[in-house]
Amino acid sequence: MTQPLADMRRDYTRDGLTEANAPVEPFALFTRWFEEAVQTEQAPVEANAMTLATVDGEGRPHCRVLLLKALDAQGFTFFTNYESDKGRHLQANPFAAMTFFWPTLERQVRIEGRVSKVSHEESDAYFQVRPLGSRLGAWASPQSRVIADRAELEGLLKATEQRFSDSQPHCPEHWGGYRLVPERIEFWQGRSSRLHDRLNYRLVDQAWQRERLAP
Ligand SMILES: Cc1cc2nc3c(=O)[nH]c(=O)nc-3n(C[C@H](O)[C@H](O)[C@H](O)COP(=O)(O)O)c2cc1C
């Protein structure tokens, strides 16, 4: 290791987050921070990449990186294979958490809530704007299953290409969107000497309550 882990640290001094510059509901603040992340984070950081945590039927947590693909007043939408591990977890336990990390801005956003499938029409509308290779991949890849080797995957893709040689691939039933409807959204802005700003929004009786958390 080139640098001892105990010596790896960075002081965060770029910005602050105060009650005075945060709205009373979190969607406007998320949208503002997201837009700033899109403008500020440099490639290859993808501003819409986030870590999604799910819990399996035995209460064990699992997390992985996904891309946020839609945001509206209802919630935060991502697309995946419904028969994947995460799909099976969400079937058993519909609660999930997502974390965005925007390192240049020294910001993190944590979102927690209940997840449900979007309509097949909504999934199909997004599926149709994906590149052909991604659409074929959604048909070809049995996501999260064990496969023998790379050749098996390429064979599955070849068979899928043949199947759709005369037609456009439509959205498979086993693929689509999930929308997380938030009950908690926390905005974290790094500050100097680990005295970070944390504004937490909680949905209480259909209204957002804002509170400051100790760092
Ligand atoms: C930057 C990045 C973006 C990703 N985006 C997605 C995505 O939008 N949908 C998806 O199903 N998997 C995506 N993945 C792959 C997932 O991290 C994961 O490997 C896959 O969904 C299988 O997870 P599971 O076995 O827990 O269900 C992405 C991975 C990375 C690193």
Short mmCIF file of all heavy atoms in Angstrom, two decimals, residues 16-62:
data_model
loop_
_atom_site.label_atom_id
_atom_site.label_comp_id
_atom_site.label_asym_id
_atom_site.label_seq_id
_atom_site.Cartn_x
_atom_site.Cartn_y
_atom_site.Cartn_z
N GLY A 16 -21.18 25.11 2.82
CA GLY A 16 -21.91 24.82 4.04
C GLY A 16 -23.38 24.62 3.71
O GLY A 16 -23.82 24.97 2.61
N LEU A 17 -24.13 24.04 4.63
CA LEU A 17 -25.58 23.88 4.42
C LEU A 17 -26.28 24.38 5.68
O LEU A 17 -26.13 23.79 6.76
CB LEU A 17 -25.92 22.41 4.17
CG LEU A 17 -27.41 22.10 3.99
CD1 LEU A 17 -27.99 22.81 2.77
CD2 LEU A 17 -27.64 20.59 3.90
N THR A 18 -27.01 25.48 5.52
CA THR A 18 -27.69 26.05 6.69
C THR A 18 -29.20 25.98 6.47
O THR A 18 -29.68 25.86 5.34
CB THR A 18 -27.31 27.53 6.88
OG1 THR A 18 -27.78 28.26 5.74
CG2 THR A 18 -25.81 27.72 7.04
N GLU A 19 -29.92 26.08 7.57
CA GLU A 19 -31.38 26.10 7.49
C GLU A 19 -31.83 27.27 6.61
O GLU A 19 -32.84 27.18 5.91
CB GLU A 19 -31.99 26.22 8.89
CG GLU A 19 -31.91 24.95 9.72
CD GLU A 19 -30.52 24.66 10.31
OE1 GLU A 19 -29.55 25.39 9.99
OE2 GLU A 19 -30.42 23.69 11.08
N ALA A 20 -31.09 28.36 6.63
CA ALA A 20 -31.50 29.55 5.87
C ALA A 20 -31.44 29.32 4.37
O ALA A 20 -32.22 29.90 3.62
CB ALA A 20 -30.60 30.73 6.25
N ASN A 21 -30.51 28.46 3.90
CA ASN A 21 -30.45 28.25 2.45
C ASN A 21 -31.00 26.88 2.02
O ASN A 21 -30.79 26.45 0.90
CB ASN A 21 -29.04 28.50 1.88
CG ASN A 21 -28.00 27.53 2.43
OD1 ASN A 21 -28.35 26.44 2.87
ND2 ASN A 21 -26.75 27.93 2.40
N ALA A 22 -31.76 26.24 2.92
CA ALA A 22 -32.40 24.96 2.56
C ALA A 22 -33.92 25.14 2.58
O ALA A 22 -34.46 25.71 3.53
CB ALA A 22 -32.00 23.88 3.55
N PRO A 23 -34.62 24.68 1.53
CA PRO A 23 -36.07 24.82 1.51
C PRO A 23 -36.73 23.94 2.58
O PRO A 23 -36.09 23.07 3.17
CB PRO A 23 -36.46 24.35 0.10
CG PRO A 23 -35.31 23.55 -0.39
CD PRO A 23 -34.09 24.02 0.33
N VAL A 24 -38.04 24.16 2.80
CA VAL A 24 -38.72 23.39 3.84
C VAL A 24 -39.09 21.99 3.38
O VAL A 24 -39.45 21.15 4.20
CB VAL A 24 -39.99 24.11 4.37
CG1 VAL A 24 -39.60 25.36 5.14
CG2 VAL A 24 -40.93 24.44 3.23
N GLU A 25 -39.00 21.71 2.07
CA GLU A 25 -39.23 20.33 1.61
C GLU A 25 -38.02 19.87 0.79
O GLU A 25 -37.32 20.69 0.18
CB GLU A 25 -40.57 20.21 0.86
CG GLU A 25 -40.70 21.03 -0.41
CD GLU A 25 -40.05 20.34 -1.59
OE1 GLU A 25 -39.97 19.10 -1.60
OE2 GLU A 25 -39.59 21.06 -2.49
N PRO A 26 -37.76 18.57 0.78
CA PRO A 26 -36.46 18.11 0.28
C PRO A 26 -36.32 17.97 -1.24
O PRO A 26 -35.20 17.95 -1.73
CB PRO A 26 -36.31 16.73 0.94
CG PRO A 26 -37.71 16.27 1.15
CD PRO A 26 -38.53 17.48 1.41
N PHE A 27 -37.42 17.86 -2.00
CA PHE A 27 -37.27 17.61 -3.43
C PHE A 27 -36.56 18.77 -4.13
O PHE A 27 -35.72 18.57 -5.00
CB PHE A 27 -38.62 17.33 -4.10
CG PHE A 27 -39.10 15.93 -3.87
CD1 PHE A 27 -39.97 15.63 -2.83
CD2 PHE A 27 -38.68 14.89 -4.68
CE1 PHE A 27 -40.41 14.34 -2.60
CE2 PHE A 27 -39.11 13.58 -4.47
CZ PHE A 27 -39.97 13.31 -3.42
N ALA A 28 -36.93 19.99 -3.73
CA ALA A 28 -36.30 21.17 -4.36
C ALA A 28 -34.80 21.18 -4.05
O ALA A 28 -33.98 21.52 -4.91
CB ALA A 28 -36.96 22.44 -3.86
N LEU A 29 -34.45 20.80 -2.83
CA LEU A 29 -33.02 20.80 -2.47
C LEU A 29 -32.30 19.68 -3.21
O LEU A 29 -31.19 19.89 -3.72
CB LEU A 29 -32.86 20.63 -0.95
CG LEU A 29 -31.43 20.69 -0.42
CD1 LEU A 29 -30.70 21.95 -0.88
CD2 LEU A 29 -31.44 20.61 1.12
N PHE A 30 -32.94 18.50 -3.32
CA PHE A 30 -32.28 17.41 -4.06
C PHE A 30 -32.05 17.83 -5.51
O PHE A 30 -30.98 17.64 -6.08
CB PHE A 30 -33.10 16.11 -4.02
CG PHE A 30 -32.38 14.99 -4.72
CD1 PHE A 30 -31.47 14.20 -4.03
CD2 PHE A 30 -32.54 14.77 -6.08
CE1 PHE A 30 -30.74 13.19 -4.68
CE2 PHE A 30 -31.82 13.77 -6.74
CZ PHE A 30 -30.93 12.98 -6.04
N THR A 31 -33.08 18.44 -6.11
CA THR A 31 -32.96 18.86 -7.51
C THR A 31 -31.83 19.86 -7.68
O THR A 31 -31.03 19.77 -8.61
CB THR A 31 -34.30 19.47 -7.99
OG1 THR A 31 -35.32 18.49 -7.76
CG2 THR A 31 -34.27 19.82 -9.45
N ARG A 32 -31.73 20.80 -6.73
CA ARG A 32 -30.66 21.81 -6.81
C ARG A 32 -29.29 21.15 -6.67
O ARG A 32 -28.39 21.39 -7.50
CB ARG A 32 -30.86 22.84 -5.69
CG ARG A 32 -29.96 24.05 -5.82
CD ARG A 32 -30.40 25.12 -4.83
NE ARG A 32 -29.64 25.01 -3.60
CZ ARG A 32 -30.07 25.44 -2.40
NH1 ARG A 32 -31.26 25.99 -2.30
NH2 ARG A 32 -29.32 25.32 -1.34
N TRP A 33 -29.15 20.29 -5.71
CA TRP A 33 -27.86 19.61 -5.52
C TRP A 33 -27.54 18.71 -6.71
O TRP A 33 -26.39 18.61 -7.13
CB TRP A 33 -27.88 18.79 -4.22
CG TRP A 33 -27.51 19.60 -3.00
CD1 TRP A 33 -27.68 20.95 -2.83
CD2 TRP A 33 -26.92 19.10 -1.80
NE1 TRP A 33 -27.23 21.32 -1.59
CE2 TRP A 33 -26.76 20.22 -0.93
CE3 TRP A 33 -26.52 17.85 -1.35
CZ2 TRP A 33 -26.20 20.08 0.35
CZ3 TRP A 33 -25.97 17.72 -0.08
CH2 TRP A 33 -25.81 18.83 0.76
N PHE A 34 -28.57 18.03 -7.24
CA PHE A 34 -28.32 17.13 -8.37
C PHE A 34 -27.83 17.92 -9.58
O PHE A 34 -26.86 17.55 -10.25
CB PHE A 34 -29.58 16.33 -8.70
CG PHE A 34 -29.35 15.34 -9.80
CD1 PHE A 34 -28.58 14.21 -9.58
CD2 PHE A 34 -29.86 15.56 -11.07
CE1 PHE A 34 -28.31 13.31 -10.59
CE2 PHE A 34 -29.61 14.66 -12.09
CZ PHE A 34 -28.84 13.53 -11.85
N GLU A 35 -28.51 19.05 -9.85
CA GLU A 35 -28.09 19.89 -10.98
C GLU A 35 -26.65 20.37 -10.79
O GLU A 35 -25.85 20.40 -11.74
CB GLU A 35 -29.02 21.11 -11.13
CG GLU A 35 -30.43 20.78 -11.59
CD GLU A 35 -30.47 20.13 -12.96
OE1 GLU A 35 -29.56 20.38 -13.76
OE2 GLU A 35 -31.40 19.35 -13.22
N GLU A 36 -26.32 20.76 -9.57
CA GLU A 36 -24.95 21.22 -9.30
C GLU A 36 -23.95 20.07 -9.48
O GLU A 36 -22.85 20.27 -9.98
CB GLU A 36 -24.87 21.81 -7.89
CG GLU A 36 -25.58 23.16 -7.80
CD GLU A 36 -25.73 23.72 -6.39
OE1 GLU A 36 -25.19 23.12 -5.43
OE2 GLU A 36 -26.40 24.75 -6.25
N ALA A 37 -24.36 18.86 -9.10
CA ALA A 37 -23.47 17.70 -9.28
C ALA A 37 -23.25 17.42 -10.76
O ALA A 37 -22.13 17.15 -11.20
CB ALA A 37 -24.06 16.47 -8.57
N VAL A 38 -24.33 17.51 -11.56
CA VAL A 38 -24.19 17.27 -13.00
C VAL A 38 -23.21 18.26 -13.60
O VAL A 38 -22.38 17.92 -14.44
CB VAL A 38 -25.58 17.38 -13.70
CG1 VAL A 38 -25.44 17.39 -15.21
CG2 VAL A 38 -26.49 16.24 -13.24
N GLN A 39 -23.29 19.52 -13.13
CA GLN A 39 -22.40 20.55 -13.69
C GLN A 39 -20.98 20.47 -13.16
O GLN A 39 -20.04 20.84 -13.85
CB GLN A 39 -22.97 21.94 -13.39
CG GLN A 39 -24.13 22.31 -14.30
CD GLN A 39 -25.01 23.39 -13.71
OE1 GLN A 39 -24.57 24.14 -12.84
NE2 GLN A 39 -26.24 23.46 -14.18
N THR A 40 -20.81 19.97 -11.96
CA THR A 40 -19.50 20.08 -11.29
C THR A 40 -18.68 18.80 -11.33
O THR A 40 -17.46 18.85 -11.48
CB THR A 40 -19.70 20.50 -9.81
OG1 THR A 40 -20.58 21.60 -9.78
CG2 THR A 40 -18.38 20.87 -9.18
N GLU A 41 -19.34 17.66 -11.13
CA GLU A 41 -18.56 16.42 -11.08
C GLU A 41 -17.97 16.15 -12.46
O GLU A 41 -18.64 16.30 -13.48
CB GLU A 41 -19.45 15.25 -10.63
CG GLU A 41 -19.99 15.38 -9.21
CD GLU A 41 -18.90 15.41 -8.13
OE1 GLU A 41 -17.76 14.99 -8.40
OE2 GLU A 41 -19.20 15.90 -7.03
N GLN A 42 -16.72 15.75 -12.48
CA GLN A 42 -16.02 15.51 -13.74
C GLN A 42 -16.17 14.04 -14.13
O GLN A 42 -16.18 13.17 -13.26
CB GLN A 42 -14.52 15.79 -13.57
CG GLN A 42 -14.20 17.20 -13.07
CD GLN A 42 -14.40 18.23 -14.16
OE1 GLN A 42 -13.98 18.02 -15.29
NE2 GLN A 42 -15.04 19.33 -13.85
N ALA A 43 -16.23 13.77 -15.44
CA ALA A 43 -16.19 12.38 -15.90
C ALA A 43 -14.92 11.74 -15.35
O ALA A 43 -13.89 12.44 -15.25
CB ALA A 43 -16.19 12.35 -17.42
N PRO A 44 -14.92 10.47 -14.93
CA PRO A 44 -15.98 9.49 -15.14
C PRO A 44 -17.02 9.41 -14.02
O PRO A 44 -17.82 8.47 -14.03
CB PRO A 44 -15.19 8.18 -15.21
CG PRO A 44 -14.09 8.38 -14.23
CD PRO A 44 -13.73 9.85 -14.33
N VAL A 45 -17.05 10.35 -13.08
CA VAL A 45 -18.10 10.29 -12.05
C VAL A 45 -19.45 10.55 -12.72
O VAL A 45 -19.60 11.52 -13.47
CB VAL A 45 -17.85 11.34 -10.94
CG1 VAL A 45 -19.03 11.38 -9.97
CG2 VAL A 45 -16.57 11.01 -10.19
N GLU A 46 -20.41 9.66 -12.47
CA GLU A 46 -21.75 9.85 -13.01
C GLU A 46 -22.61 10.41 -11.88
O GLU A 46 -22.82 9.74 -10.87
CB GLU A 46 -22.31 8.52 -13.51
CG GLU A 46 -21.56 7.99 -14.71
CD GLU A 46 -22.04 6.60 -15.13
OE1 GLU A 46 -21.58 5.63 -14.51
OE2 GLU A 46 -22.85 6.50 -16.04
N ALA A 47 -23.12 11.62 -12.07
CA ALA A 47 -23.85 12.28 -10.99
C ALA A 47 -25.09 11.49 -10.59
O ALA A 47 -25.55 11.58 -9.45
CB ALA A 47 -24.24 13.69 -11.41
N ASN A 48 -25.65 10.70 -11.53
CA ASN A 48 -26.86 9.95 -11.21
C ASN A 48 -26.57 8.54 -10.69
O ASN A 48 -27.48 7.74 -10.51
CB ASN A 48 -27.81 9.88 -12.41
CG ASN A 48 -27.22 9.17 -13.60
OD1 ASN A 48 -25.99 9.18 -13.79
ND2 ASN A 48 -28.05 8.57 -14.42
N ALA A 49 -25.30 8.24 -10.43
CA ALA A 49 -24.97 6.93 -9.84
C ALA A 49 -25.20 6.99 -8.33
O ALA A 49 -24.87 7.98 -7.69
CB ALA A 49 -23.52 6.57 -10.14
N MET A 50 -25.79 5.93 -7.81
CA MET A 50 -26.04 5.88 -6.35
C MET A 50 -25.91 4.44 -5.90
O MET A 50 -25.94 3.50 -6.70
CB MET A 50 -27.43 6.45 -6.03
CG MET A 50 -28.56 5.98 -6.91
SD MET A 50 -29.27 4.43 -6.39
CE MET A 50 -30.59 4.20 -7.61
N THR A 51 -25.75 4.28 -4.60
CA THR A 51 -25.70 2.94 -4.03
C THR A 51 -27.07 2.60 -3.48
O THR A 51 -27.64 3.38 -2.70
CB THR A 51 -24.65 2.88 -2.90
OG1 THR A 51 -23.38 3.23 -3.45
CG2 THR A 51 -24.57 1.48 -2.32
N LEU A 52 -27.62 1.48 -3.91
CA LEU A 52 -28.93 1.05 -3.44
C LEU A 52 -28.76 -0.12 -2.48
O LEU A 52 -28.13 -1.12 -2.81
CB LEU A 52 -29.81 0.59 -4.61
CG LEU A 52 -31.20 0.14 -4.15
CD1 LEU A 52 -32.14 1.34 -4.05
CD2 LEU A 52 -31.78 -0.92 -5.06
N ALA A 53 -29.32 0.03 -1.29
CA ALA A 53 -29.28 -1.05 -0.31
C ALA A 53 -30.66 -1.71 -0.22
O ALA A 53 -31.68 -1.01 -0.15
CB ALA A 53 -28.87 -0.51 1.06
N THR A 54 -30.65 -3.04 -0.24
CA THR A 54 -31.87 -3.81 -0.04
C THR A 54 -31.59 -4.82 1.06
O THR A 54 -30.44 -5.08 1.41
CB THR A 54 -32.29 -4.54 -1.33
OG1 THR A 54 -31.18 -5.34 -1.79
CG2 THR A 54 -32.71 -3.58 -2.41
N VAL A 55 -32.66 -5.41 1.58
CA VAL A 55 -32.51 -6.40 2.65
C VAL A 55 -33.20 -7.69 2.19
O VAL A 55 -34.34 -7.64 1.72
CB VAL A 55 -33.13 -5.87 3.96
CG1 VAL A 55 -33.12 -6.94 5.05
CG2 VAL A 55 -32.36 -4.64 4.43
N ASP A 56 -32.49 -8.81 2.32
CA ASP A 56 -33.08 -10.06 1.82
C ASP A 56 -34.07 -10.65 2.84
O ASP A 56 -34.27 -10.10 3.92
CB ASP A 56 -31.98 -11.06 1.42
CG ASP A 56 -31.18 -11.58 2.61
OD1 ASP A 56 -31.69 -11.54 3.76
OD2 ASP A 56 -30.04 -12.04 2.38
N GLY A 57 -34.67 -11.77 2.47
CA GLY A 57 -35.70 -12.38 3.31
C GLY A 57 -35.18 -12.84 4.66
O GLY A 57 -35.97 -13.11 5.57
N GLU A 58 -33.87 -12.94 4.81
CA GLU A 58 -33.30 -13.35 6.11
C GLU A 58 -32.77 -12.16 6.91
O GLU A 58 -32.05 -12.32 7.89
CB GLU A 58 -32.17 -14.36 5.88
CG GLU A 58 -32.71 -15.66 5.32
CD GLU A 58 -31.60 -16.60 4.86
OE1 GLU A 58 -30.41 -16.25 5.01
OE2 GLU A 58 -31.95 -17.66 4.36
N GLY A 59 -33.10 -10.93 6.42
CA GLY A 59 -32.70 -9.73 7.17
C GLY A 59 -31.28 -9.28 6.90
O GLY A 59 -30.77 -8.40 7.59
N ARG A 60 -30.64 -9.85 5.88
CA ARG A 60 -29.26 -9.46 5.58
C ARG A 60 -29.24 -8.36 4.52
O ARG A 60 -29.90 -8.48 3.49
CB ARG A 60 -28.46 -10.66 5.07
CG ARG A 60 -28.23 -11.69 6.15
CD ARG A 60 -27.54 -12.90 5.59
NE ARG A 60 -27.39 -13.90 6.63
CZ ARG A 60 -26.24 -14.24 7.20
NH1 ARG A 60 -25.12 -13.68 6.81
NH2 ARG A 60 -26.19 -15.14 8.16
N PRO A 61 -28.44 -7.29 4.76
CA PRO A 61 -28.39 -6.20 3.79
C PRO A 61 -27.45 -6.49 2.62
O PRO A 61 -26.47 -7.24 2.76
CB PRO A 61 -27.83 -5.04 4.63
CG PRO A 61 -27.02 -5.70 5.69
CD PRO A 61 -27.65 -7.04 5.97
N HIS A 62 -27.76 -5.89 1.48
CA HIS A 62 -26.93 -6.00 0.27
C HIS A 62 -26.95 -4.64 -0.40
O HIS A 62 -27.99 -3.99 -0.44
CB HIS A 62 -27.50 -7.03 -0.72
CG HIS A 62 -27.68 -8.38 -0.11
ND1 HIS A 62 -26.78 -9.40 -0.24
CD2 HIS A 62 -28.68 -8.87 0.66
CE1 HIS A 62 -27.19 -10.47 0.41
NE2 HIS A 62 -28.36 -10.18 0.97
#
